[in-house]
Amino acid sequence: MTNSMQRLWLAGTACMVLAACGGEKKEAAQPAAQSAATAGGDEIKPAPGGKVHEVELYSNEKGNYFEPKEITANKGDVIEFELKSGVHNINFLPDSNPGKAGLPRPSDMLQLPDQKYYLYVDMATGKYFFQCDPHALLGMIGYLVVK
């Protein structure tokens, strides 16, 4: 092997070692979630006298959207997000909800038809913006009004 080939091999090997030893990835800090939320089969029941609000998530010829995209709920209600088509999540972004505390953490990606994500409503009175992260720029946004 020539000197230039050895240097190239050493440089490539060093890059691979550095990439492999880059350390553990740190996730961005999330605000503390006061709202209970689960994905999969862990259904959350509403408080006594509370109600379940159903929201369906779609990707089809009409686009990517929540149906309905605006929900009005009371504290103690549950929002049941159900995947109908596509791959989606639900995210109440802190920078889209300025001054709001106790926002739920972003959901995992819902990938299987009829997969559900439950959100127990215990946020303060107000209007909350949520979105599907991969499709927000395509208009997949919604609002939760807590009374």
Side-chain angles (χ1 to χ4, degrees), residues 1-11:
M1 213 184 311
T2 67
N3 280 343
S4 61
M5 288 177 68
Q6 286 177 333
R7 285 187 198 121
L8 184 60
W9 181 83
L10 285 172

Side-chain angles (χ1 to χ4, degrees), residues 85-146:
S85 57
V87 175
H88 305 289
N89 77 331
I90 298 94
N91 190 358
F92 289 80
L93 292 166
D95 55 346
S96 297
N97 294 288
K100 303 278 193 325
L103 296 173
R105 293 182 182 271
S107 74
D108 291 335
M109 289 292 171
L110 302 179
Q111 301 178 34
L112 303 172
D114 302 322
Q115 187 176 6
K116 295 180 181 178
Y117 170 78
Y118 297 92
L119 176 69
Y120 185 83
V121 179
D122 68 349
M123 293 97 88
T125 301
K127 187 172 186 175
Y128 296 82
F129 168 87
F130 62 91
Q131 70 179 33
C132 168
D133 292 332
H135 302 112
L137 292 176
L138 299 173
M140 192 165 183
I141 58 171
Y143 299 92
L144 170 61
V145 177
V146 179

Side-chain angles (χ1 to χ4, degrees), residues 10-26:
L10 285 172
T13 303
C15 287
M16 287 190 294
V17 169
L18 288 173
C21 298
E24 192 176 308
K25 269 188 174 177
K26 303 265 184 193

